[in-house]
Amino acid sequence: MTLNNSESGDQPWTAWPARWEAALDACGKLGGETPQLVIKPPATNEELERVEAELGMRLPESFRTVLSEFSSTVELRWHLPDVWPPGDLRQIFSGECRWDLSELPELEENRRGWIDVVFPNIDDPYDRVWHNKLTFLAVANGDMLALDLSAAPECPVIYLSHECDEAHGYILGDNFIDFIDRWSLLGCPGSEDWQLTPFISSPTSGIDPNCENARKWREWFGLHI
């Protein structure tokens, strides 16, 4: 079920900037690195149509709505100093939330390159996950976050692993808006699978911002949202 954590009457993204700023503030109080948050204006119809023409497809509606009504480009990054969260959260060391309309064609070219060279067999269950997707974020470890075009119109956010990681194919959110809403309630801990899985209970659960690990994380990180 799609979450709705925004204030009554507001669009879902109304709450996102404050959540991102809260994450930067929490990281800064721990002595971490907190580059300036970037939120650019919404994309114009001409900009959207130009990228869609290059991709050869219309963008999924949830993603397109965010790009056209909220922001064409967002860049949130934070990095903890040499301090370690407790228990299952120990692997969390950084955070990010990024998308950029202008980068989508290059990201898609990279995904298709992985398919051509490494994951060409659509009859293989692992390879198949890489097909019929739209990448919007390149993870630092070489993995990708993508929208599942085969599950339109919602197009859930899917984790794409290139190294047989357990999280390959995991659903992270019901659609783009739902994913960012869930993720931002945690301050957007890093996009690598090992930073996300403490908040995921099953391959189809999505990120759970209300689970026990989420509560522990917010308490330790100092995230008061």
Side-chain angles (χ1 to χ4, degrees), residues 114-204:
W114 276 105
I115 289 175
D116 291 342
V117 177
V118 185
F119 306 112
N121 185 6
I122 198 168
D123 294 322
D124 179 85
Y126 194 95
D127 287 18
R128 189 184 308 127
V129 175
W130 277 86
H131 292 247
N132 205 10
K133 303 296 186 293
L134 174 68
T135 303
F136 65 87
L137 192 154
V139 182
N141 66 354
D143 294 342
M144 297 180 178
L145 302 189
L147 294 156
D148 186 358
L149 304 180
S150 68
E154 287 295 288
C155 299
V157 173
I158 301 291
Y159 194 91
L160 301 180
S161 170
H162 70 295
E163 293 182 320
C164 299
D165 293 315
E166 179 184 357
H168 181 57
Y170 273 29
I171 293 175
L172 305 180
D174 296 342
N175 52 51
F176 186 77
I177 291 174
D178 181 57
F179 166 64
I180 299 297
D181 212 39
R182 292 170 181 263
W183 201 18
S184 67
L185 281 166
L186 298 171
C188 299
S191 55
E192 293 91 349
D193 58 326
W194 63 81
Q195 298 203 73
L196 294 175
T197 50
F199 311 107
I200 300 172
S201 60
S202 77
T204 59

Side-chain angles (χ1 to χ4, degrees), residues 18 65 67-68 73-74 87 100 109 141 168 183 187 189 191 195 205 220:
T65 298
L67 293 168
S68 64
T73 303
V74 164
D100 186 333
E109 183 179 356
N141 66 354
H168 181 57
W183 201 18
S191 55
Q195 298 203 73
S205 69
W220 179 87

Side-chain angles (χ1 to χ4, degrees), residues 205-218:
S205 69
I207 293 171
D208 183 357
N210 299 309
C211 67
E212 181 65 15
N213 274 339
R215 184 193 63 77
K216 292 178 180 178
W217 165 250
R218 278 192 289 265

